Amino acid sequence: MKTHKPISNFLSDVVLERITDPAIQAVGEKLINEERLTPGDGLACFNTQDLIGLGQIASAVKRSRYGDKAFFISNHHLNYTNVCENKCRFCAFHRAPGSKDAHTYSPEEAARLITQSPVADLREIHIVGGCHPHLELDYYTDLLKALTQAKSTLKLKAFTAVEIDHIASRAGISTIECLKQLKEAGLSAMPGGGAEVFSERVREALFPRKIPADRWLEIHGEAHSLGIGTNATLLFGHMETIEERVQHLFRLREQQDLSEGFKAFIALPFHPKNTPLAHLPGPTGVDILKTIATARLILDNFPHIKAYWVMLGLKLTQTALHFGADDLEGTIVKEHIAHQAGAATAPGLTRKRLVEMIEEAGLKPEQRDTFHQPIQES
Ligand code: V47
């Protein structure tokens, strides 16, 4: 069911006429006529020199859905283990089993960390780890149960499709059965990590041990069939081509047409430090804004587009809120994956700072829960 206002209310002929690139003007006209974009339109968005024109269209789409609002959540990121057997070449977070800075929290340790969380109005725990070679299904269900017991009002957004595939194969059960058991133990939603870029060429070069695109999408479809809402990501700015980025976005749009359970898309700019790809520069600010704006336009069936402040930096995040993004992610407390790869942002932000950031960008902050429902301030 369509919940947004006509884009023409937010994208006038005057604005369209000022757009210098005819291909981007044509994109704007298509959206006004409620036509879906084609891969050719996606390429035009990435290739345009008219960044501002592209941003105006993406911002119009955002405002047609959410007006001046921008969303955030009070959450805590918990990386239960950094032990991972996948050894992806873009990742600075993973450690070999037994290495001196490897960690794996017991369910009790994880629960203690959450009861000590500095976030006063905590709503969600975002739980992601590695593909640990020795943890069993019971560990994951015990972890979810211990966290629920620690704070029963919390929602648990846990385990990427990559982890779900790993847990299920170790347990010798199907991924849908695994998801059912995790849901029973307290899983409310799934994060969007592990998608990287849906290109077999890039997978073979950078993450050959990780599940391929079809499997990642299939597991999200299974989660959706069980009523588990999920997110999706794109890791960009390493060796992928623009065509591969566009294909990635279209595969997500196709999956969402089928299973309808994606809640948010997050573009993850590659951070090279401490990875085997440390010689790469990572994407520019212009590229990051283009990617977010283009995602907003192609992913017409995704409710939310996040600007992940941890990886964007605070100023580019504020700018991204005018390039199609409507959500900042959260308070987080202590982020590891991007920071170990060189992110220069704070480990976490207070709720007050998130509110200020949105207000400084000229927008209205709205606190949300895991399911993107508004939370009234108490
Ligand atoms: O899965 C790993 C990526 C992801 C690097 O769903 C890297 O709400 C950049 O998925 N440079 C984790 N990216 C982050 C993530 C996420 C974050 C916030 C909210 C949500 C959500 C999801 O980060 C990993 C991987 O795709 N990643 N290494 C790197 N060097």
Side-chain angles (χ1 to χ4, degrees), residues 159 161 164 175-176 179-180 183 187-192 198 215-233 251-265 301-303:
F159 312 130
I164 299 291
T175 42
I176 193 142
L179 283 165
K180 280 182 192 162
K183 187 178 178 193
L187 179 136
S188 298
M190 272 168 61
F198 298 146
R215 189 80 185 105
W216 189 97
L217 290 163
E218 186 185 3
I219 292 169
H220 279 260
E222 289 175 348
H224 299 168
S225 75
L226 297 174
I228 300 168
T230 73
N231 294 335
T233 55
R251 292 219 59 190
L252 288 175
R253 191 175 89 173
E254 281 159 21
Q255 181 63 47
Q256 179 75 329
D257 282 342
L258 293 173
S259 57
E260 296 182 338
F262 286 117
K263 303 301 174 200
F265 169 80
N301 50 6
F302 270 60

Side-chain angles (χ1 to χ4, degrees), residues 75 77 90-93 124 126 128 157 160 190-196 210 230-236 264 266 268-273 275 306 308 311 329 332 335 337-338 340-342 368:
N75 68 356
H77 280 211
F90 57 77
C91 177
F93 171 71
E124 170 190 277
H126 166 114
V128 171
K157 178 180 67 168
T160 65
M190 272 168 61
E196 320 319 352
K210 205 166 237 175
T230 73
N231 294 335
T233 55
L234 162 69
L235 172 64
F236 69 101
I266 310 117
L268 304 172
F270 176 53
H271 283 59
K273 208 168 161 191
T275 76
K306 286 191 195 180
Y308 185 34
M311 292 197 191
E329 193 21 44
I332 291 174
E335 199 284 336
I337 297 172
Q340 288 181 355
R368 64 163 176 88

Side-chain angles (χ1 to χ4, degrees), residues 233-248:
T233 55
L234 162 69
L235 172 64
F236 69 101
H238 40 89
M239 63 167 278
E240 85 292 355
T241 63
I242 295 303
E243 285 76 9
E244 286 165 335
R245 285 191 208 178
V246 170
Q247 279 159 15
H248 184 98

